[in-house]
Amino acid sequence: MSVLVYINSNSDKIAKNAFEAVTYASKIGDVTVVTNGKADDTMLAELGKYGANKVLVDRSFEGIDEQQITRMVATAAESTGAKTIVFSNDLIGKAVAPRLSVKLNAGLVAGATDVPKEDGTVAVNVFSGKAHGFVKVNTEKQIIALLPNSIQPEASGSEANVEEFSGNAGETKVKVKDIKKPEGDIPLPEAELVVSGGRGLKGPENWNLITDLAEALGAGTACSRPVADSDWRPHHEHVGQTGVAISPNLYIAAGISGAIQHLAGVNRSKVIVVINTDEEAPFFKAADYGVVGDAFEVLPKLTEAVKKFKA
Ligand code: FAD
């Protein structure tokens, strides 16, 4: 069975969720990847290691205009005859998959967490990760948007063939004036260790408590939504239902109450450590380790301990 995967390759490296989507698709059928932009052939050929047989690259346009990408993926679906089209359920996937679903009259499974069962049923995340649903589409074609961090990328195969392709993407009405890259070396969805702060930190002037610990650990930094809404931290650090979903090996949350909308983005972390003055804070119920204490005292001690341990 032919499976088509869209990946975004518009930056200088392919993101982890693209490898996840290709690995996922390889468990369903023969994988063709479609992408656009300037990504070099060597980088795209690497996708073969994750299970792609072929990579179609449309070099006629760059960027992430969802209408152009929708048209390109629709053309690729037609030319490959793929009945299953896989996206990562990231910001682009969330914008393109529903459009493509209408265009191809294909059922959409959004937020998939596992490969389809024999009868075609797919497990999905519902109620912000509080429960699993099971979806089976009854259309000839189906689109699956895979929840980032649901599966591990698996590299074992050889390089894929990379072919130039015309996706009839058409024109865009969107003019990109500037692209601002997030600060920091570790993109949050890919960080193995994350230190995160909430309103309990009282203000942006105290954020060195978070960044010092993150630096000592070699971790990424995150925050709760009100922190980003108040401009204490940039929006790309906001995790949760309306922010980034992460599943690091370690998530340290200081001064965050643990509202359900926050947990929705972090409850797939392997180990959760919560630091909060209020022993009744809901986050403690989701924590593997809890410290009832003042973040202003606990965080510097933790940073010192990590530095000593690493010395
Ligand atoms: P607070 O709820 O104010 O909690 C602060 C915590 O800090 C308290 O538990 C307090 O005991 C503790 N504290 C205070 N002082 C200290 C100290 N010195 N040391 C240690 N602890 C201390 N939120 C998200 O985070 N992400 C989302 O994606 C998101 N999406 C949302 C979507 C919708 C539709 C809605 C309605 C809400 C959403 N929210 C989201 C908001 C969410 O409901 C909470 O309001 C928010 O997560 C609370 O942020 P907080 O824990 O930083 O602040």
Side-chain angles (χ1 to χ4, degrees), residues 73 80 117 208 216 283:
V73 181
T80 57
K117 293 192 179 131
N208 62 309
F283 219 153

Side-chain angles (χ1 to χ4, degrees), residues 251 263 271-275 282-291:
Y251 182 67
L263 291 176
V271 175
I272 297 179
V273 177
V274 169
I275 303 163
F283 219 153
F284 283 123
K285 290 204 181 103
D288 296 283
Y289 299 94
V291 181

Side-chain angles (χ1 to χ4, degrees), residues 197-202 223-227 229 232 238-244 254-265 275-283 291 293-297:
R199 234 173 352 199
L201 269 289
K202 319 282 188 233
C223 66
S224 66
R225 177 171 160 172
V227 164
D229 285 348
W232 295 2
H238 145 208
V239 287
Q241 183 186 325
T242 45
V244 182
I256 302 178
S257 57
I260 181 173
Q261 297 89 353
H262 185 84
L263 291 176
I275 303 163
N276 199 303
T277 41
D278 175 9
E279 63 179 41
E280 300 290 328
F283 219 153
V291 181
D294 187 341
F296 289 79
E297 291 170 17

Side-chain angles (χ1 to χ4, degrees), residues 1 4 92 172:
M1 196 203 332
L4 183 67
I92 303 174
T172 175

Side-chain angles (χ1 to χ4, degrees), residues 17-40:
N17 63 347
F19 296 124
E20 290 168 4
V22 174
T23 302
Y24 177 88
S26 71
K27 295 179 192 297
I28 304 175
D30 294 334
V31 180
T32 301
V33 171
V34 62
T35 189
N36 69 296
K38 277 191 184 158
D40 71 69

